[in-house]
Amino acid sequence: MQPIQIHDVVANEFGQVNDYIVSQLSSDIPLIEQIGYYIISNGGKRLRPLLVLLAARASAELDQTKLDQAIQMATIIEFIHTSTLLHDDVVDESDMRRGKKTANEEWGNAPSVLVGDFLYSRAFQIMVDVGSMQCMSILAKTTNIIAEGEVQQLINCGDPDTTEESYLKVIQYKTAKLFEGAALCGAVISGASTEYQTALSDFGMYVGTAFQLIDDVMDYTSTAEEMGKSVGDDLAEGKPTLPLIFTMKHGSSAAVERVRQAILTGGLEQLETIINDVQSCGAIEYTQQKAQEQADLAIKAITPLPESDYKAALIALANASVKRRN
């Protein structure tokens, strides 16, 4: 099953999510709408809202009320995700995302941060309309943990002694936690059993971790056109991702020194050599293996769910998370 077919099983619901997203971007302040439309329509896969819909459909039959709530919840997740992107790009001083200028590059840091705040607050307005205290609790905790992960990543930047364990904790907090929240909220909205809620929560965490591991691999294996951002962005920011951590443990002494200095200084002077160092010492294969392990755990986690096209799409999503090129 290819990615487009994953979307196909909830195509009608996905279209309603897109319409609802547009309706909820409305504001009396034109700049908010302008930046909001720009970032929301900027070519993202919308995997997190997709996960809400698939989790809801895979875990229970939905009446119209629950379906409407699932569409609202998918929009909430997308707004939270988009807000974190706006904030991240300011913190990272990024100038390109998904092949286009970042909002901060186009309009400046202050408008980007403030529109990010608008999307966060609009997400919680919609959450009140949904009226699920359990989902409110899940997402309140989720957004807090995401913020902690971002701060920890900031602390790790420029630290070549960051461990694999510390790195994994960061990506579980800053990336996988929202995947987990999306899947869990989909199950909660559907009225799924506690067993199914746990299964889908675990699925989200594992898939989100796999997704970020591959994202970090692509910084050393893909072109700017494939990624939609500049090659070497992680290195330029001094981020000790798993490919670099592995290289510092298993690369040649010269490679170790090059990577350490690059992380310490955020320098790209030896980018091509470092990419070769990473690719030649087994770091890419190791990180891909770790991602595959997470995808396998995700698939195993949803074993209790009944067989359906929606479960099959979840399994395909887990597999696709480790095979993507962008």
Side-chain angles (χ1 to χ4, degrees), residues 301-322:
I302 58 172
T303 299
L305 295 182
E307 298 304 317
S308 68
D309 289 345
Y310 307 112
K311 179 179 178 179
L314 287 169
I315 292 170
L317 180 61
N319 287 322
S321 70
V322 295

Side-chain angles (χ1 to χ4, degrees), residues 222-239:
S222 299
T223 65
E225 290 73 22
E226 288 173 323
M227 291 188 294
K229 64 176 185 176
S230 300
V231 174
D233 269 1
D234 290 345
L235 195 62
E237 295 155 19
K239 290 181 181 176

Side-chain angles (χ1 to χ4, degrees), residues 140-154:
K141 182 179 180 181
T142 294
T143 53
N144 193 254
I145 287 175
I146 290 170
E148 288 182 330
E150 293 291 353
V151 173
Q152 185 59 56
Q153 178 174 262
L154 196 61

Side-chain angles (χ1 to χ4, degrees), residues 131-209:
S132 168
M133 283 301 297
Q134 187 177 352
C135 285
M136 287 187 196
S137 177
I138 291 164
L139 293 182
K141 182 179 180 181
T142 294
T143 53
N144 193 254
I145 287 175
I146 290 170
E148 288 182 330
E150 293 291 353
V151 173
Q152 185 59 56
Q153 178 174 262
L154 196 61
I155 292 169
N156 288 355
C157 281
D159 180 8
D161 296 317
T162 299
T163 64
E164 181 174 332
E165 291 71 26
S166 178
Y167 159 83
L168 287 171
K169 182 177 180 181
V170 164
I171 68 171
Q172 286 166 353
Y173 274 36
K174 70 178 284 291
T175 300
K177 195 66 183 177
L178 190 56
F179 279 80
E180 177 189 75
L184 178 54
C185 284
V188 169
I189 288 299
S190 75
S193 67
T194 301
E195 180 187 20
Y196 289 179
Q197 288 181 29
T198 299
L200 284 160
S201 175
D202 290 345
F203 176 90
M205 174 56 69
Y206 292 134
V207 165
T209 303

Side-chain angles (χ1 to χ4, degrees), residues 253-269:
S253 57
V256 170
E257 184 57 28
R258 275 191 292 269
V259 172
R260 285 188 66 86
Q261 287 304 310
I263 291 174
L264 283 167
T265 63
L268 293 179
E269 294 82 4

